[in-house]
């Protein structure tokens, strides 16, 4: 028990959220550099561009220069075991991002100093808010000219509605900073010139602000400006309150530059100190405490064909409680079966290792023979419960999809089934359709491209995709048997989900209200009643 407690308390599992190009890849890489997981920065980025290393299972990443899939990276720093969940950074929002955030205990919000709060940041922030997880802010690209620190604080508070507590403060002339002031320690850290182009750890010197050397080095004007800023922050700014941070009401804010390794160490150390270890999660038996319950986990992501040569399928699980050991039998609540987890995988800077043991907060990949679904719960033998609140998102974009070449029907159905199980898209059938076609529902249009690309590359099937002019889907309860009695649905379309439940597609919320008013005895559900398995 003692070991479990210690291991749990040193875990930090978080996701970095940002708008594309804010520097997420760069920061992730620098954290790995400072954590000693890589020796020279440049490896992750170089690999990002190398199709045979990271993304050969999905060239689309390279073609579009975006990261479509999430990966998990682990490293140790100063006694902590750090798990970084990489959220897809593309503009188009997908359910994958939400699910990844389900597996995180906190989030780091990355902001470009020149651009401030951008669209994607807003959306992701909203999800973190709903989950009530602590949010830390890293203002990046401080080596460039951008908005002033006070301006950014104001923007974050106004646009996102969260108060900011700067943990450090840039030192120097705006646009040409030379160091940071650490408010907790009352110390200034001045950086030496970035001789290694950000590839290696940057040296710096630290001393108390009262040390006369700073006045000398910085010059009277810069020194006085820093003192004034600090005084203003202390007097007029929010006080640091850990309870507010935990509740997601106050964000500890850091300034730095991932590219030039400016303030990266300070961020990592303070973040690890403040970020929460795994906490209790809600399940059907009440709260599941990470150290009091035996092993439990949930599936938050399924990925097929990571290696096209093997056609393997991995289910990523987040451990919520207890110790995991390789080969242990676990109970899969959804099928009611005991499964032996023989080949668990962990990912270190994109390389796979076999896991012998793991603890709450850790993410592992399991070879999935096709039994796992997203949101499924795994628990220790003798236990039987399910984790709650796993989000299911109603699709908003629809298309009719069929194989161009009808001879490829078999591969087409196989590929579609596979991608549905992964949760990449939701699949429906049009009952009276003569040809083998599916109706696909997604939450973002990029998913159609991903579908098209993967069907071609992994199953050799060219698709015909016809977008449909609907944006609202409702599961129908009450009139399942007699759909012909539904009134006012001429402009809509009734389809069936994979469990043969009727779903009504409509063009907009206005038509929905029209139909709802005319059919008072029918319930129109946003998600199916039993939404655990999609
Ligand atoms: P992302 O994963 O959030 O999309 O961002 P990524 O790290 O790929 O960074 C986007 C661009 O911003 C990259 O430039 C990167 O070098 C740059 N960048 C990241 N951090 C900093 C920083 O602290 N300061 C400055 N000035 N730039 C930064 P790029 O030109 O698109 O790519 P590259 O040629 O540098 O690889």
């Amino acid at each position: 028990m003692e070991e479990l407690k210690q291991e749990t308390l040193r875990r930090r599992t978080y996701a970095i959220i940002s708008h594309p190009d804010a520097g997420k890849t760069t920061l992730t890489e620098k954290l790995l550099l400072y954590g000693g997981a890589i020796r020279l920065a440049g490896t992750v980025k170089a690999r990002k561009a190398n199709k045979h290393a990271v993304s050969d299972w999905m060239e689309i990443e390279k073609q579009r220069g975006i990261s479509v899939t999430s990966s998990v990276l682990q490293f140790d720093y100063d006694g902590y075991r750090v798990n970084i969940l990489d959220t897809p950074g593309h503009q188009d929002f997908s359910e994958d991002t939400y699910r990844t955030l389900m597996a995180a205990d906190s989030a780091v919000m990355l902001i470009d100093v020149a651009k401030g709060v951008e669209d994607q940041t807003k959306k992701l922030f909203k999800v973190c808010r709903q989950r009530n997880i602590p949010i830390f802010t890293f203002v990046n690209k401080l080596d460039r000219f951008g908005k002033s620190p006070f301006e950014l604080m104001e923007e974050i508070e106004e646009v996102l509605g969260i108060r900011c507590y700067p943990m450090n403060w840039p030192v120097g002339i705006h646009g040409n900073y030379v160091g940071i002031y650490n408010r907790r320690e009352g110390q200034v850290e001045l950086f030496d010139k970035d001789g290694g182009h950000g590839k290696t750890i940057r040296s710096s010197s630290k001393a108390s602000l009262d040390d006369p050397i700073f006045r000398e080095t910085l010059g009277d004007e810069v020194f006085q400006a820093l003192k004034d800023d600090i005084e203003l922050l202390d007097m007029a700014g929010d006080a640091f309150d850990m309870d507010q941070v935990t509740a997601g009401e106050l964000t500890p804010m850091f300034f730095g530059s991932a590219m030039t390794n400016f303030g990266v160490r300070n961020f990592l150390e303070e973040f690890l100190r403040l970020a929460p270890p795994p906490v209790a999660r809600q399940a059907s038996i009440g709260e599941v405490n990470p150290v009091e319950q035996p092993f439990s986990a949930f599936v938050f992501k399924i990925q097929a064909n990571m290696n096209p040569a093997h056609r393997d399928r991995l289910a990523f699980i987040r451990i919520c409680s207890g110790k995991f050991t390789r080969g242990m039998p676990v109970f899969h609540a959804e099928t009611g079966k005991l499964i032996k987890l023989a080949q668990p995988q962990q990912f270190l800077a994109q390389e796979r290792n076999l896991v012998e043991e793991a603890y709450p907060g850790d993410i592992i990949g399991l070879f999935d023979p096709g039994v796992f679904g997203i949101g499924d719960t795994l628990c220790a033998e003798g236990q039987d419960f399910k984790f709650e609140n796993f989000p299911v998102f109603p699709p908003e974009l629809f298309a009719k999809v069929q194989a161009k070449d009808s001879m490829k029907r078999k591969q087409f159905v196989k590929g579609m089934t596979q991608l549905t199980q992964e949760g990449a898209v939701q699949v429906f059938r049009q009952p009276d359709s003569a040809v083998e076609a599916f109706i696909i529902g997604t939450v973002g249009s990029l998913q159609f491209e991903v579908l098209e690309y993967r069907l071609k590359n992994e199953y050799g099937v060219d698709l015909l995709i016809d977008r449909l002019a609907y944006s609202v889907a409702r599961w129908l309860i009450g009139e399942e048997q007699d759909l012909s009695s539904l009134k006012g649905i001429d402009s809509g379309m009734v389809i069936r989900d994979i469990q043969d439940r009727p779903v009504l597609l409509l063009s907009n919320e206005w038509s929905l209200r029209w139909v709802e008013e005319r059919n008072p005895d029918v319930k129109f559900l946003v998600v199916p009643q039993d939404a655990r398995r999609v």
Side-chain angles (χ1 to χ4, degrees):
M1 186 53 118
E2 213 31 55
E3 181 204 13
L4 174 62
K5 200 168 169 182
Q6 272 175 10
E7 289 295 339
T8 305
L9 285 176
R10 76 187 191 97
R11 286 324 191 253
R12 297 290 182 273
T13 303
Y14 64 96
I16 303 180
I17 59 169
S18 67
H19 195 81
D21 276 341
K24 189 154 57 73
T25 313
T26 313
L27 181 66
T28 305
E29 184 180 60
K30 295 312 171 72
L31 296 176
L32 291 175
L33 174 73
Y34 278 82
I38 52 173
R39 241 176 278 144
L40 273 185
T43 358
V44 176
K45 270 224 105 118
R47 284 179 175 200
K48 195 170 162 184
N50 175 357
K51 85 177 174 93
H52 294 297
V54 177
S55 51
D56 56 355
W57 72 278
M58 200 158 193
E59 275 176 87
I60 199 166
E61 289 195 338
K62 193 178 133 231
Q63 287 180 356
R64 296 184 50 125
I66 52 169
S67 167
V68 179
T69 56
S70 329
S71 51
V72 188
L73 298 169
Q74 188 180 66
F75 66 92
D76 285 327
Y77 186 85
D78 202 16
Y80 294 101
R81 169 71 44 103
V82 185
N83 294 310
I84 310 181
L85 294 157
D86 183 17
T87 51
H90 50 79
Q91 301 269 3
D92 217 352
F93 220 49
S94 79
E95 295 157 272
D96 204 27
T97 313
Y98 287 99
R99 294 182 186 134
T100 299
L101 287 168
M102 285 301 289
D105 295 317
S106 60
V108 172
M109 174 168 75
L110 191 65
I111 284 177
D112 183 322
V113 68
K115 297 188 174 148
V117 178
E118 297 177 84
D119 283 352
Q120 184 83 345
T121 327
K122 280 190 228 166
K123 286 191 195 169
L124 290 162
F125 177 85
K126 233 172 99 186
V127 183
C128 294
R129 249 289 160 74
Q130 284 164 357
R131 280 221 48 223
N132 283 326
I133 52 175
I135 300 160
F136 297 77
T137 302
F138 185 87
V139 176
N140 192 29
K141 307 198 184 182
L142 219 67
D143 55 300
R144 280 195 192 159
F145 194 81
K147 301 187 183 187
S148 82
F150 283 118
E151 212 178 327
L152 284 165
M153 282 174 71
E154 216 177 287
E155 186 174 327
I156 291 172
E157 293 181 358
E158 257 173 35
V159 179
L160 302 176
I162 188 169
R163 313 284 302 168
C164 299
Y165 182 90
M167 301 296 295
N168 66 23
W169 198 252
V171 176
I173 299 161
H174 185 49
N176 185 21
Y177 294 115
V178 289
I180 47 168
Y181 170 70
N182 180 328
R183 289 180 77 196
R184 186 174 63 88
E185 292 176 341
Q187 287 204 324
V188 174
E189 181 177 4
L190 291 186
F191 293 96
D192 297 339
K193 275 221 156 346
D194 174 26
H197 298 287
K199 283 201 162 61
T200 49
I201 288 174
R202 187 161 170 185
S203 53
S204 63
S205 39
K206 262 173 131 181
S208 154
L209 180 64
D210 302 324
D211 196 320
I213 190 153
F214 284 123
R215 201 176 194 113
E216 243 170 68
T217 325
L218 298 173
D220 280 347
E221 213 173 304
V222 169
F223 184 77
Q224 197 49 51
L226 174 65
K227 283 213 98 147
D228 291 348
D229 281 359
I230 294 168
E231 206 177 290
L232 187 63
L233 285 178
D234 288 345
M235 279 179 31
D238 281 270
F240 185 80
D241 179 344
M242 198 56 213
D243 289 341
Q244 284 184 24
V245 174
T246 308
E249 291 161 7
L250 182 74
T251 175
M253 186 178 190
F254 299 84
F255 293 88
S257 159
M259 191 176 80
T260 65
N261 297 343
F262 185 106
V264 172
R265 188 193 294 278
N266 171 253
F267 163 69
L268 181 61
E269 288 179 352
E270 294 288 313
F271 167 73
L272 293 177
R273 195 174 62 81
L274 297 174
V279 292
R281 283 177 180 249
Q282 207 58 39
S284 54
I285 50 161
E287 284 209 329
V288 172
N289 184 300
V291 294
E292 282 165 14
Q293 283 282 338
F295 172 80
S296 71
F298 64 84
V299 178
F300 69 96
K301 180 182 172 68
I302 288 181
Q303 211 164 65
N305 305 344
M306 282 182 86
N307 178 349
H310 294 119
R311 280 275 152 109
D312 53 358
R313 194 172 117 125
L314 283 178
F316 288 85
I317 61 168
R318 140 95 204 203
I319 301 178
C320 297
S321 68
K323 181 176 174 177
F324 168 85
T325 43
R326 184 154 82 91
M328 80 190 282
V330 298
F331 181 70
H332 179 231
E334 276 70 14
T335 53
K337 285 197 178 120
L338 264 184
I339 301 174
K340 212 169 188 156
L341 303 181
Q343 279 198 303
Q345 313 271 314
Q346 225 158 14
F347 298 82
L348 180 79
Q350 308 290 355
E351 273 140 29
R352 293 188 193 185
N353 300 312
L354 215 55
V355 188
E356 293 302 330
E357 39 193 50
Y359 295 90
D362 287 343
I363 309 295
I364 48 187
L366 306 174
F367 279 111
D368 176 15
V371 294
F372 298 129
I374 285 166
D376 285 6
T377 299
L378 297 175
C379 35
E381 201 173 352
Q383 301 271 316
D384 182 5
F385 62 83
K386 286 180 189 176
F387 283 104
E388 288 178 350
N389 305 328
F390 207 84
V392 177
F393 300 94
E396 289 170 10
L397 301 172
F398 302 89
K400 189 169 186 168
V401 175
Q402 60 191 88
K404 256 187 200 152
D405 177 356
S406 56
M407 302 294 283
K408 294 268 173 83
R409 194 190 148 268
K410 217 172 133 189
Q411 283 97 321
F412 170 61
V413 173
K414 192 170 163 197
M416 293 302 293
T417 312
Q418 178 66 62
L419 296 188
T420 315
Q421 283 168 346
E422 271 184 48
V425 290
Q426 289 187 45
V427 172
F428 305 89
R429 274 175 191 280
Q430 194 180 357
D432 47 5
S433 168
V435 285
E436 185 77 59
F438 292 102
I439 306 283
I440 300 296
T442 71
V443 288
S445 64
L446 184 81
Q447 282 162 281
F448 290 119
E449 279 180 53
V450 171
L451 179 75
E452 192 174 8
Y453 183 86
R454 291 189 61 181
L455 257 291
K456 182 164 178 56
N457 281 273
E458 294 165 24
Y459 301 91
V461 180
D462 283 309
L463 293 184
L464 278 177
I465 299 183
D466 283 323
R467 289 285 283 269
L468 302 173
Y470 302 113
S471 68
V472 175
R474 288 293 183 272
W475 272 258
L476 302 171
I477 305 287
E479 291 284 331
E480 292 100 322
Q481 306 313 324
D482 188 14
L483 292 170
S484 55
S485 68
L486 276 177
K487 296 177 194 76
I489 60 163
D490 304 345
S491 64
M493 178 178 186
V494 178
I495 53 177
R496 299 260 169 187
D497 71 5
I498 45 174
Q499 290 174 26
D500 208 34
R501 294 173 295 202
V503 179
L504 176 64
L505 299 186
L506 291 163
S507 52
N508 52 39
E509 294 283 336
W510 189 86
S511 339
L512 173 66
R513 273 198 302 279
W514 168 274
V515 176
E516 276 176 335
E517 277 165 21
R518 270 149 197 82
N519 300 279
D521 299 333
V522 180
K523 272 200 217 132
F524 297 85
L525 303 183
V526 178
V527 292
Q529 224 162 19
D530 172 24
R532 293 193 55 82
R533 261 284 164 76
V534 277

